[in-house]
Every structure is written in structure tokens, then in C-alpha cells.
Amino acid sequence: MASHRLEQSLLPLLRNRANVYLAGHEHIVKDLKPEGGVHFLVAAAAGQDARLAKSGPETLFTDSFYCFTVLEIDGERIRVTFVGTEGKVRYETEIRK
């Protein structure tokens, strides 16, 4: 997980209880490798300038753009789509249970 502090405090609460943790109010977009069965996604929905997106070993995708996030959920999957402010799909992933 990206932050040791988050790993210590958040992951024990989510492990085996949640499929996805979606955070907003960030200045970057991220999809991090699942940990403890939880997929971690960050949506860039803040009003300040986007920050430089930095990738690490746990990063599946990262970029600097503002977006809105579309979640399509059924009994077998969660499709997550990050759509840029210009209306273009910028990233999409599917999480299967």
C-alpha cells in the first residue's frame, strides 16, 4: 500500500469486508495493486492544479488529470471508469469478485 500509516490503520478495517476503497479530493488518479482483497482507487476531483503523478511498485495506473468516476456494479464485477473533464474515457478497470 502507498502509505505505511494507511496500511496500519485502514487495511485492518477493510480486509475481508470491502472490495473497493475509492478516495477523492486528490490531485492525481491512481489504481493501486489490491492488498488484503481490497482494490484502492484515487480519483482526481479537487479544484487545485493537478500534481505530478508518481508511480511505485504498487501502482497499476497513475496520471494527472481531473475526472469523474463511473462505477458499474453487478453481482460478479465492478467496472471503474475514470472520465476526463473533456468527456473522454482515460482509464478503465474491472474488478471481479
Side-chain angles (χ1 to χ4, degrees), residues 1 3-15 17 21 40:
M1 185 183 266
S3 165
H4 182 66
R5 189 169 136 191
L6 275 176
E7 183 176 351
Q8 287 182 329
S9 61
L10 189 58
L11 189 57
L13 298 172
L14 299 175
R15 181 181 279 125
R17 293 186 181 126
Y21 178 82
F40 292 87

Side-chain angles (χ1 to χ4, degrees), residues 20-96:
V20 175
Y21 178 82
L22 178 61
H25 193 73
E26 242 329 310
H27 305 281
I28 54 174
V29 177
K30 279 194 175 194
D31 181 3
L32 301 175
K33 288 183 182 177
E35 189 165 335
V38 182
H39 296 260
F40 292 87
L41 301 158
V42 179
Q48 296 179 345
D49 291 337
R51 289 189 289 164
L52 178 63
K54 295 180 182 177
S55 188
E58 73 282 347
T59 306
L60 297 173
F61 173 81
T62 190
D63 201 349
S64 295
F65 61 90
Y66 294 118
C67 71
F68 62 91
T69 306
V70 178
L71 300 174
E72 297 173 77
I73 303 169
D74 65 28
E76 299 176 14
R77 67 174 178 83
I78 301 169
R79 179 180 300 273
V80 180
T81 306
F82 292 130
V83 180
T85 56
E86 73 286 348
K88 176 183 169 189
V89 172
R90 302 284 298 268
Y91 179 73
E92 189 170 57
T93 188
E94 187 171 283
I95 299 166
R96 294 217 168 250

